Amino acid sequence: MDKYLICGLGNPGNEYEGTRHNTGFMVLDALAKASNAVFEDKRYGFIAEFTLKGRKIILLKPTTFMNLSGNAVRYWLNKENIDQSRLLVISDDIALPLGAFRLKGSGSNGGHNGLGNIEQLIGKDYPRLRMGIGNDYAKGKQVDWVLGHYSEEDMKILQPSINLAEDIIKSFVLSGLGFTMNEYNKLGKK
């Protein structure tokens, strides 16, 4: 059976729930709920599994904290013997407006510490879905922004993109990266 590792980036702990930096976790929570999958606390992360048309999808929410996300990704890729081309990492991105998103096959970490740590451990060649969180913060206040909580108004803008991200993940698994980028990236521009 073909296996895929879908990793949503975020920080563990109640104090981080609903923060911009946990957008990756929010996407996986929505997908798990829609797929009747339940997260279990396992090594380096919370893991949920389900199958989609004969393909096994493993959802990973690392418990290593953002800056060490690569440890969890590398461990689960190796443990499940999954090729990096079947890894999809979902992260927040301050360079994109709230509600925008971009699916890419590889690239730089854009200053994102979670992506940077993954890059250190497995390289740049892995697909990633960057979810825009905007950048409406004062100089020197980036940490406060990314660790800040979404407002109700923010969620009205973000929720449709979270819903689309579920479809993007399924398309990535069933139809591949190229098709999915062509189909969805045009919808992610805000």
Side-chain angles (χ1 to χ4, degrees), residues 5 77 106 115 170 177 180:
L5 181 64
L77 281 175
S106 64
L115 294 177
K170 290 175 184 174
L177 179 65
T180 305

CSV table of all heavy atoms in Angstrom, one decimal, residues 5 77 106 115 170 177 180:
chain,number,residue,atom,x,y,z
A,5,LEU,N,3.1,10.8,4.2
A,5,LEU,CA,3.2,11.5,5.5
A,5,LEU,C,2.8,13.0,5.3
A,5,LEU,O,3.4,13.7,4.5
A,5,LEU,CB,4.7,11.4,6.0
A,5,LEU,CG,4.9,12.1,7.4
A,5,LEU,CD1,4.1,11.4,8.5
A,5,LEU,CD2,6.4,12.0,7.7
A,77,LEU,N,9.4,9.5,8.5
A,77,LEU,CA,9.7,9.1,7.2
A,77,LEU,C,10.5,7.8,7.2
A,77,LEU,O,10.2,6.8,6.5
A,77,LEU,CB,10.6,10.2,6.5
A,77,LEU,CG,9.9,11.4,5.9
A,77,LEU,CD1,10.9,12.4,5.4
A,77,LEU,CD2,8.9,11.1,4.8
A,106,SER,N,9.4,22.3,-3.7
A,106,SER,CA,10.7,22.4,-2.9
A,106,SER,C,10.9,23.9,-2.7
A,106,SER,O,10.0,24.7,-3.1
A,106,SER,CB,11.9,21.8,-3.7
A,106,SER,OG,12.1,22.5,-4.9
A,115,LEU,N,10.4,24.9,9.0
A,115,LEU,CA,10.9,24.5,7.7
A,115,LEU,C,12.4,24.5,7.7
A,115,LEU,O,13.0,23.6,7.1
A,115,LEU,CB,10.4,25.4,6.6
A,115,LEU,CG,8.8,25.4,6.4
A,115,LEU,CD1,8.5,26.4,5.3
A,115,LEU,CD2,8.3,24.0,6.0
A,170,LYS,N,-5.8,15.7,-0.2
A,170,LYS,CA,-6.3,14.5,-0.9
A,170,LYS,C,-5.9,14.5,-2.4
A,170,LYS,O,-5.5,13.4,-2.9
A,170,LYS,CB,-7.8,14.6,-0.8
A,170,LYS,CG,-8.3,14.3,0.6
A,170,LYS,CD,-9.8,14.4,0.7
A,170,LYS,CE,-10.3,14.3,2.2
A,170,LYS,NZ,-11.8,14.5,2.3
A,177,LEU,N,1.7,15.9,-7.1
A,177,LEU,CA,2.1,17.3,-6.8
A,177,LEU,C,1.8,18.2,-8.0
A,177,LEU,O,1.2,19.3,-7.9
A,177,LEU,CB,3.5,17.4,-6.4
A,177,LEU,CG,4.0,18.8,-6.1
A,177,LEU,CD1,3.3,19.4,-4.9
A,177,LEU,CD2,5.6,18.7,-5.9
A,180,THR,N,-1.9,18.9,-8.7
A,180,THR,CA,-2.5,19.6,-7.6
A,180,THR,C,-2.0,21.1,-7.6
A,180,THR,O,-2.8,22.0,-7.3
A,180,THR,CB,-2.1,18.9,-6.2
A,180,THR,OG1,-2.5,17.5,-6.3
A,180,THR,CG2,-2.8,19.6,-5.1
